[in-house]
């Protein structure tokens, strides 16, 4: 089995809880409260900023061919992602100033620091901690894209797109080039758990923000 397959299998039922969470079921049927989605988008914007910093930190420790492939594909497809993101922010009335002034939710703070920590440990560890997010969102996008709600279907279409799948394929290719080691399960499974917490945080909207 490939390293990615072993890691995904090691997550067991947690993977399904992540990619078919109540938050996503509500997106799919169009019943998710718009303020819940608004909360999610703000926190996700903050997550992406730290995630990219973590990627750059880890990239200094990775093989040049795999790192270059991932970075080039992300930059090649960034316009489409930014276009969808900007459209959503505009539709919902979220400004960049509001995002910068909003604190991290407890779950988001812990998740982004988890990513950065593994980025400082090494490329292998970072890939194991990062791949659940990128890989899972492709499955999620495919699941949600036919939502009757225009906002949710537009959001999901990007993650279900060929452009986004190129990112996922490059990340999994890099992950599968690493020989499987038991210790890679810890960052992978913890990231799946953090993804579940991310959805729950948005649904509940009761967590204290960390500035």
């Amino acid at each position: 089995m490939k390293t990615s397959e072993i890691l995904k299998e090691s997550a067991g039922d947690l993977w399904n809880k992540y990619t078919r969470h109540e938050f996503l079921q509500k997106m799919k049927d169009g019943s998710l409260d718009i303020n819940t989605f608004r909360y999610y988008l703000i926190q996700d914007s903050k997550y992406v900023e730290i995630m990219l910093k973590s990627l750059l930190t880890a990239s200094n420790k990775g093989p040049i061919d795999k790192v270059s492939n991932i970075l080039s594909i992300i930059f090649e497809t960034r316009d489409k992602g930014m276009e969808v993101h900007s459209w959503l922010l505009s539709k919902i009335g979220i400004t960049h100033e509001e995002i910068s002034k909003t604190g991290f939710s407890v779950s988001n703070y812990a998740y982004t620091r988890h990513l950065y920590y593994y980025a400082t440990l090494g490329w292998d560890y970072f890939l194991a901690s990062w791949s659940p997010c990128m890989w899972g969102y492709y499955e999620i996008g495919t699941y949600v894209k036919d939502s009757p709600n225009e906002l949710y279907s537009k959001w999901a279409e990007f993650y279900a797109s060929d452009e986004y799948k190129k990112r996922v394929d490059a990340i999994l290719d890099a992950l599968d080039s690493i020989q499987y080691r038991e210790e890679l399960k810890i960052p992978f499974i913890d990231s799946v758990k953090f993804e579940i917490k991310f959805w729950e945080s948005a649904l509940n909207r009761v967590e204290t923000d960390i500035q």
Side-chain angles (χ1 to χ4, degrees):
M1 289 178 68
K2 296 179 179 178
T3 297
S4 60
E5 294 171 346
I6 297 171
L7 290 172
K8 184 179 180 181
E9 187 175 273
S10 73
D13 292 341
L14 287 172
W15 188 266
N16 191 60
K17 290 179 180 178
Y18 157 39
T19 59
R20 294 296 183 271
H21 193 276
E22 179 187 354
F23 183 99
L24 302 168
Q25 293 176 24
K26 288 180 178 292
M27 286 188 78
K28 182 177 176 62
D29 66 23
S31 66
L32 185 71
D33 181 78
I34 191 63
N35 287 320
T36 298
F37 187 61
R38 191 180 199 280
Y39 180 98
Y40 159 79
L41 273 182
I42 292 174
Q43 290 299 319
D44 185 59
S45 298
K46 301 182 79 66
Y47 166 87
V48 168
E49 181 180 350
I50 304 300
M51 180 265 284
L52 289 174
K53 289 180 180 178
S54 300
L55 169 60
L56 293 176
T57 297
S59 294
N60 292 325
K61 303 172 179 65
I64 189 65
D65 58 332
K66 302 299 182 183
V67 170
S68 298
N69 189 38
I70 290 172
L71 292 178
S72 64
I73 290 173
I74 286 177
F75 284 115
E76 285 171 9
T77 60
R78 69 192 295 268
D79 289 347
K80 179 63 175 178
M82 290 180 66
E83 177 186 324
V84 172
H85 186 69
S86 296
W87 182 85
L88 288 169
L89 297 184
S90 175
K91 281 286 187 179
I92 300 176
I94 299 172
T95 64
H96 291 289
E97 182 181 12
E98 180 181 2
I99 293 171
S100 65
K101 287 184 175 180
T102 301
F104 283 82
S105 71
V106 173
S107 293
N108 196 12
Y109 185 86
Y111 190 8
T112 50
R113 271 57 193 178
H114 157 85
L115 281 180
Y116 190 76
Y117 168 71
Y118 281 110
T120 64
L121 285 190
W123 177 247
D124 296 7
Y125 288 104
F126 175 70
L127 281 179
S129 66
W130 184 39
S131 55
C133 171
M134 304 298 286
W135 191 2
Y137 265 56
Y138 178 71
E139 293 185 14
I140 289 165
T142 304
Y143 175 65
V144 175
K145 68 178 182 178
D146 295 324
S147 171
N149 184 300
E150 181 188 23
L151 293 174
Y152 305 154
S153 63
K154 186 79 170 180
W155 173 88
E157 280 173 7
F158 170 67
Y159 294 112
S161 68
D162 291 338
E163 292 95 335
Y164 186 80
K165 190 173 186 299
K166 288 179 182 178
R167 299 184 184 184
V168 177
D169 289 344
I171 292 165
L172 294 183
D173 174 68
L175 183 59
D176 289 334
S177 70
I178 298 166
Q179 185 172 358
Y180 173 75
R181 307 190 307 275
E182 279 290 310
E183 59 263 31
L184 296 178
K185 287 169 59 175
I186 296 173
F188 186 93
I189 293 173
D190 283 350
S191 287
V192 175
K193 291 177 179 177
F194 275 124
E195 288 290 348
I196 294 170
K197 289 288 187 182
F198 209 97
W199 301 133
E200 292 175 351
S201 172
L203 277 178
N204 297 325
R205 286 181 282 152
V206 295
E207 289 193 329
T208 302
D209 286 345
I210 298 174
Q211 298 298 329

